[in-house]
Amino acid sequence: MKQTFCRGRYIAALALCATWAVPAWAKKCPADSVQVGPACVDTYEASVWQITPSNTGLIRKVQKGIATLDDLVGGGAVQLGCTFAPFSQTAYPANFPNDGNWTPVLGSSPPSPGVYAVSIPGVLPSTCTTWFQANEACAVSGKRLVRNDEWQRAAAGTPDPGTDNGTTDCNISAAGNPVNTGSRSNCQSSWGVFDMVGNVWEWVADWADKAINCTDWTSQTGIAGGDLSCFGGPGTTGNAGETGAFLSIPGALFRGGFWFSGTNAGVFAVFARDTPSLSLDGIGFRCAR
């Protein structure tokens, strides 16, 4: 695609007017995301919703990135995730198990488990979600898990390590709890992405060798902030709890830290000591297109 610019306005191609090719990756991102290089990264940490497959209008809104919280609640959608406080969400249905091997809801066309990942403000992020479930929930919604390099790029400019005043700063307080997506106004990256530091860890698409130990970026590389790094190793430590069936299982990466991390949270915080089958209240995810 080409655009022509002449005397302060875009017009049809004319002599003496500058014409250039628009980059192939340039695109208009849906309302639920922002453009970060060639990718559209979700503005908010994912919330997962069960939607009746017959509600095709709401599903189309979700897949187009224009669904709102009012749309979801009004359409009878139910948020999925941790069932205990403060989340008090609904458990994933039996047809959407921890290993991600979902089965279609009877009569759904196209086949769907009825589980969708949404980027909206004003709700607690969905956690108690394995990497496998996060990967599939993004896909059913017409998205994918954000890649590690994309996550790093999108996090640029987020206050790190910052403070936590309990109202506007990134949610890194060990005394706190998770907060609603987008509710911390100062916890925003230069690209406009919220909550990439703290609140909940976020699964990314990449796997690695399961880490043996943890360190921090400040002591090892001099990058200020003390962000946690648990990355690298053969995955066969022989330590208690990492023997037998756990030998040589990969570590799936999650990024950013969570509300209990303190100054260990940050734009460089990376964790690869757990398997993609892990499901905890402190780990959520984020999708991209």
Side-chain angles (χ1 to χ4, degrees), residues 211-228:
I212 295 177
N213 296 309
C214 296
T215 184
D216 66 85
W217 286 81
T218 303
S219 63
Q220 296 299 312
T221 67
I223 294 177
D227 295 2
L228 182 70

Side-chain angles (χ1 to χ4, degrees), residues 185-209:
S185 58
N186 289 342
C187 193
Q188 188 175 14
S189 78
S190 297
W191 298 91
V193 183
F194 282 91
D195 303 320
M196 300 202 80
V197 171
N199 210 31
V200 295
W201 286 100
E202 298 178 16
W203 291 118
V204 295
D206 305 68
W207 292 3
D209 289 334

Side-chain angles (χ1 to χ4, degrees), residues 109-123:
S109 181
S112 170
V115 175
Y116 300 86
V118 182
S119 168
I120 54 171
V123 295

Side-chain angles (χ1 to χ4, degrees), residues 124-140:
L124 290 179
S126 289
T127 55
C128 293
T129 304
T130 68
W131 182 96
F132 299 111
Q133 289 172 315
N135 186 48
E136 294 295 328
C138 287
V140 174

Side-chain angles (χ1 to χ4, degrees), residues 45 131 146-156 160 194-206 217 223 227-231 252-259 261 264-273 282-286:
E45 293 169 320
W131 182 96
V146 64
R147 297 196 313 259
N148 187 50
D149 65 306
E150 293 171 334
W151 191 99
Q152 188 69 61
R153 191 177 304 127
D160 176 19
F194 282 91
D195 303 320
M196 300 202 80
V197 171
N199 210 31
V200 295
W201 286 100
E202 298 178 16
W203 291 118
V204 295
D206 305 68
W217 286 81
I223 294 177
D227 295 2
L228 182 70
S229 176
C230 305
F231 190 93
L253 306 189
F254 44 88
R255 299 297 312 270
F258 76 129
W259 74 86
S261 294
N264 285 332
V267 299
F268 298 104
V270 55
F271 205 100
R273 292 190 69 177
I283 309 173
F285 65 101
R286 189 181 302 263

Side-chain angles (χ1 to χ4, degrees), residues 73-107:
V73 174
V78 176
Q79 189 175 358
L80 306 176
C82 294
T83 59
F84 47 82
F87 300 94
S88 301
Q89 296 160 359
T90 299
Y92 283 100
N95 72 316
F96 198 77
N98 286 348
D99 63 7
N101 286 317
W102 57 270
T103 55
V105 174
L106 185 65

